[in-house]
Amino acid sequence: MRAEDRARRAAQRQLDAYNAHDIDAFVACYHPDVEAFDLKTGEQQLCGRAQMHATYGEMFERAPEVHASVTSRSVVGNMAFDQELVTGRGTDVLRVMAIYEVDEDELITRVWFVRE
């Protein structure tokens, strides 16, 4: 399978699990040593599946209506670039750009976020 296809499938699989609030399926889309960063600051936001499970599991409980809609997706090589609108986390709609790096096993190894 081509790198572009793996990246597209991984990005969609994690989005579907996120919107289903299926924390186990969501975390399974990521490499065990996944790293997430704030692209603006370069700050690491989380490292590893355990931290991802705790962070997103808590968010799913706190915001049971959270939902992300992809307004555009571009794929270049093993990288997927999703522009998203996130609702259900309060009154504001969040605009987010998520960049996913995907490995040969179709797991997301790194993700960068840019938030409004």
Side-chain angles (χ1 to χ4, degrees):
M1 182 181 301
R2 296 178 18 201
E4 290 85 359
D5 295 331
R6 285 192 301 276
R8 187 173 288 105
R9 287 169 41 110
Q12 187 61 48
R13 193 171 60 251
Q14 69 81 39
L15 177 70
D16 292 342
Y18 178 95
N19 285 333
H21 299 185
D22 185 338
I23 189 62
D24 294 326
F26 178 72
V27 171
C29 297
Y30 291 84
H31 188 276
D33 298 321
V34 62
E35 296 176 289
F37 300 91
D38 180 310
L39 188 61
K40 287 183 183 178
T41 66
E43 181 181 325
Q44 186 178 59
Q45 296 178 318
L46 62 82
C47 183
R49 280 184 177 167
Q51 189 175 11
M52 176 170 270
H53 192 287
T55 300
Y56 282 88
E58 179 184 318
M59 190 262 305
F60 289 156
E61 287 180 24
R62 231 183 25 253
E65 300 299 316
V66 70
H67 185 271
S69 299
V70 172
T71 59
S72 71
R73 175 176 289 153
S74 297
V75 178
V76 178
N78 70 328
M79 307 285 284
F81 303 80
D82 282 2
Q83 187 168 348
E84 304 173 357
L85 295 177
V86 180
T87 58
R89 293 187 65 183
T91 58
D92 295 333
V93 174
L94 300 174
R95 288 180 5 130
V96 178
M97 173 62 80
I99 305 167
Y100 304 101
E101 182 178 9
V102 178
D103 70 9
E104 294 284 325
D105 295 322
E106 220 171 282
L107 296 175
I108 299 168
T109 57
R110 286 188 203 94
V111 59
W112 294 265
F113 295 105
V114 180
R115 294 177 179 90
E116 247 183 343

